[in-house]
Amino acid sequence: MRRAHTVEQVRAAEAELMAKLPAGTLMDRAATGLAVAISNFLGCTYGARVVLLAGSGDNGGDALYAGAKLARRGAQVTAVLLSEKYHQEGLEALLAAGGRVASDNGEGEPGFERVIVGADVVVDGIVGIGGRPGLRGRASALARATEEHGVPIVAVDMPSGVDVDTGETPAEYVKAALTVTFGTHKICHLIDPAAEACGPVHLVDIGLDLPPAAVESLQTADVRNLYPTPTGESDKYSRGVLGLMAGSAQYPGAAVIATSGALAGPIGMLRYVGPDAVAAAVRAEHPEVVAGEGRVQAWAIGSGLGDELDQGKVKELLDAEEPVLLDADGLKALDDAGDHVGVLITPHAGELARLLGVERSVVEAERLEHARRAAERFDVTVLLKGSTTVIAAPDGRVRVNTNAGAWLATAGAGDVLAGLCGALLAAGLNPFDAASVGAYLHAAAANLASNGGPITAMQVAAHVAEATRQVLLEE
């Protein structure tokens, strides 16, 4: 499990550990890990030109101490001090190791910019995890110059300017080629748009004793442990029966695609409930599907229903005991009255914006905030689709899925996901786990299908079984 903690949690853990260690030990651990990561990023330290953008906080100190370690290995290290309150001991260590401090020579920002031109890497130690979002003054100018000259940036803890606890980017921020963080991941490492600005994230263990995480991200072993595999005593009913209401005369393909996603999951049987013509199309592709209502363990409702949505029927199912997944047009039946603990909704940003009465751009900019808000307001588990999938439970728990590739953004992919998550509900997973496992396998299947190129939704569905097999058999 990849776990991300809040700034408050990290600071408390750091304070507790520092009280037990000699002064400077924690910063030395962080600086050593940072220097090793920068060296590995460069490939060769000797003769490399390294520029440190050092602010007033501990991240600036980490950068200066790491610069000293790189200078002792033969790197040409230059520090640009962005505050008069720089880390004095860190600067002394850098100068003693042969590093130097840049001077503008009376030329202002252009003088500092020349230090960046031709550098092999710029180290972003501008602000720490407690800094306000956005870049200001000289830091802003130098960050822009670094990007303009194509010099890669290694960020200390997080790209300066992002909001650490939300993943939001409300103002100018650094775009890193690598982020080196300490003790634990922070929320900004997992949630877009900030996660995209981090690049790959390298975690350095500095010995923190941390509380339960604010945000989690499942890894392969977690998915394997949660997946509902059958036993020797299982039959098609005990494995789970899913009821699917999807597709319409206008969108018959949605039913076929959602069915394909569901049948790639762990269920023993699928019942399709819908127009006869659509049922015929479903059974032509999947003859094992049973058409018509009957006993089910869960429902998946909404993909491609269009104007044929029967809101009264859906509201009736929402009040029943079986868990329900609502996707696409099915979301129109959701209201904020009643007990919806067994309900999973799978909106994209536009659909969630309509539910909450806000603009789509607001949801896209504040994905964590609005997923949590919807989960609390409607008493449901929310799977907010996007470049990083945010899954929020009504009790406040949050997971993020980060293994999706860009090619997964294709028509019908959401129908596959709805069918797959519905199957996991029918097989016995709770909505939070069903959403988490479904999102992971959906993305893994897309990566297999894509192999770096374009894909269709049906290709994604066709690779879910192989992605699941790889997860279950990986040691």
Side-chain angles (χ1 to χ4, degrees), residues 363-378:
V363 173
E364 290 174 336
E366 303 171 355
R367 295 174 56 77
L368 176 61
E369 165 67 20
H370 287 87
R372 281 175 163 161
R373 184 181 300 177
E376 181 179 0
R377 173 177 167 180
F378 296 102

Side-chain angles (χ1 to χ4, degrees), residues 3-276:
R3 296 175 171 85
H5 291 80
T6 65
V7 171
E8 182 179 0
Q9 289 175 317
V10 172
R11 283 181 161 172
E14 287 178 343
E16 182 179 354
L17 182 57
M18 284 191 290
K20 302 174 184 176
L21 297 173
T25 301
L26 205 58
M27 182 166 283
D28 183 65
R29 290 178 183 177
T32 299
L34 176 60
V36 170
I38 294 170
S39 181
N40 291 338
F41 179 82
L42 290 168
C44 179
T45 305
Y46 187 83
R49 292 185 58 190
V50 179
V51 175
L52 313 174
L53 302 182
S56 60
D58 286 346
N59 281 16
D62 293 337
L64 291 168
Y65 274 119
K69 296 176 187 294
L70 293 171
R72 286 197 292 270
R73 298 180 188 177
Q76 301 175 40
V77 183
T78 303
V80 178
L81 303 178
L82 300 175
S83 170
E84 295 180 356
K85 299 178 181 179
Y86 55 82
H87 196 283
Q88 182 66 44
E89 294 82 359
L91 179 60
E92 291 173 358
L94 175 65
L95 296 176
R100 67 186 187 93
V101 176
S103 170
D104 64 9
N105 295 317
E107 300 177 14
E109 301 306 335
F112 285 117
E113 184 174 336
R114 279 197 286 271
V115 176
I116 291 170
V117 177
D120 295 298
V121 69
V122 168
V123 179
D124 165 23
I126 299 171
V127 298
I129 60 174
R132 291 181 297 160
L135 298 174
R136 284 160 284 276
R138 180 182 294 170
S140 174
L142 291 176
R144 285 198 300 270
T146 303
E147 186 174 354
E148 290 168 2
H149 290 292
V151 181
I153 297 176
V154 173
V156 182
D157 233 353
M158 83 292 170
S160 293
V162 307
D163 191 311
V164 180
D165 276 349
T166 68
E168 297 167 17
T169 54
E172 187 178 4
Y173 59 94
V174 167
K175 300 173 183 64
L178 172 71
T179 296
V180 182
T181 194
F182 314 109
T184 181
H185 288 86
K186 284 72 180 178
I187 294 171
C188 64
H189 299 144
L190 300 184
I191 294 180
D192 277 335
E196 185 176 358
C198 293
V201 179
H202 175 71
L203 177 63
V204 176
D205 184 5
I206 56 174
L208 299 183
D209 184 13
L210 292 154
V215 176
E216 298 175 336
S217 179
L218 296 188
Q219 305 302 295
T220 301
D222 306 306
V223 175
R224 181 168 59 250
N225 290 336
L226 287 171
Y227 195 84
T229 55
T231 67
E233 301 300 315
S234 299
D235 59 34
K236 62 185 178 184
Y237 299 107
S238 62
R239 285 182 58 188
V241 180
L242 175 67
L244 178 66
M245 295 173 61
S248 59
Q250 186 178 7
Y251 305 111
V256 175
I257 296 170
T259 299
S260 300
L263 292 176
I267 54 171
M269 190 167 78
L270 185 142
R271 294 186 184 275
Y272 175 76
V273 179
D276 290 343

